[in-house]
Amino acid sequence: PPPTSMQVGTIGVVSFPNLNMREMAENADCSALDHYVDFPAESVSELVLDLRGNQGGHLKATICLAGEFLAPNTPLFRLVTREGLQTVASPAKGRPIPIALPVVVFIDKDTDSGGLLLAASLRDNRRATLIGESKQEANASAYNTFWTPNRQDVFELPVGYFQRLGGEKLAAGVQVDVAVSPTSDEALMEA
């Protein structure tokens, strides 16, 4: 399902069930996410990113979404491959003025890969509070996608793994700041 956004009182809520936004990844245009997170400044005082169940998707979508809340070229995480260690940053040509509203991210035990990487990157940059259910282990592998010549078959091969800015492997999981039942929308919003 596509992302959805709505306003609940003075809180803007954006749900990203996944980050499989191929068009954005292929066009390298992060502005495709802008309309999901744009709320009237005079009526919204806080923003919630609902990443419960988000298994990730295109790495470009993770980077672009982080860029909605962070200044251009802000370090997000590290990618470790056979070639070495690479620090990945928010887009250089991202949102000119990042969203300054306080951000809360809902995660659960099913949030994984790019969704969990996004949540951890925002918190590591002191840009979000994580609420919900901690994740004890995660899929922290980075993949390259390869197509057969006739484009009928696709293969994803691991090329490395993700590491948080502090050096912890994403595979070790992510702890929430506030533990709340992730199945209760009311409890999450209250927290």
Side-chain angles (χ1 to χ4, degrees):
T4 59
S5 36
M6 65 181 173
Q7 189 171 334
V8 179
T10 61
I11 300 174
V13 180
V14 185
S15 175
F16 280 91
N18 61 63
L19 295 169
N20 290 324
M21 298 166 197
R22 184 176 304 277
E23 310 80 35
M24 183 193 61
E26 290 173 354
N27 296 331
D29 183 8
C30 290
S31 66
L33 294 176
D34 290 351
H35 70 281
Y36 293 114
V37 294
D38 281 338
F39 290 94
E42 64 279 354
S43 65
V44 172
S45 60
E46 186 174 19
L47 191 64
V48 170
L49 286 181
D50 187 351
L51 300 179
R52 291 175 292 172
N54 186 310
Q55 297 286 302
H58 295 282
L59 185 59
K60 178 73 174 176
T62 298
I63 295 166
C64 285
L65 191 51
E68 295 285 334
F69 307 98
L70 297 166
N73 296 312
T74 299
L76 300 174
F77 53 86
R78 294 184 181 107
L79 176 59
V80 181
T81 65
R82 288 189 340 199
E83 288 78 36
L85 183 76
Q86 172 191 0
T87 299
V88 178
S90 59
K93 294 182 180 180
R95 182 180 277 268
I97 300 173
I99 295 170
L101 294 170
V103 178
V104 170
V105 180
F106 294 164
I107 65 170
D108 63 9
K109 65 180 177 63
D110 295 323
T111 308
D112 207 357
S113 195
L116 196 63
L117 186 61
L118 172 62
S121 295
L122 290 174
R123 186 178 60 198
D124 290 349
N125 278 287
R126 302 185 192 285
R127 194 56 196 91
T129 300
L130 305 185
I131 296 178
E133 184 177 29
S134 294
K135 177 82 173 186
Q136 302 308 320
E137 296 178 357
N139 174 9
S141 296
Y143 296 90
N144 268 349
T145 304
F146 300 94
W147 296 87
T148 57
N150 59 6
R151 295 191 64 83
Q152 285 186 324
D153 297 312
V154 64
F155 299 95
E156 290 188 341
L157 300 175
V159 294
Y161 65 90
F162 297 110
Q163 189 180 74
R164 294 172 65 181
L165 292 175
E168 308 91 3
K169 290 182 181 179
L170 184 67
V174 174
Q175 302 301 309
V176 295
D177 299 304
V178 180
V180 176
S181 170
T183 59
S184 171
D185 290 349
E186 187 176 304
L188 286 163
M189 291 299 282
E190 187 176 313

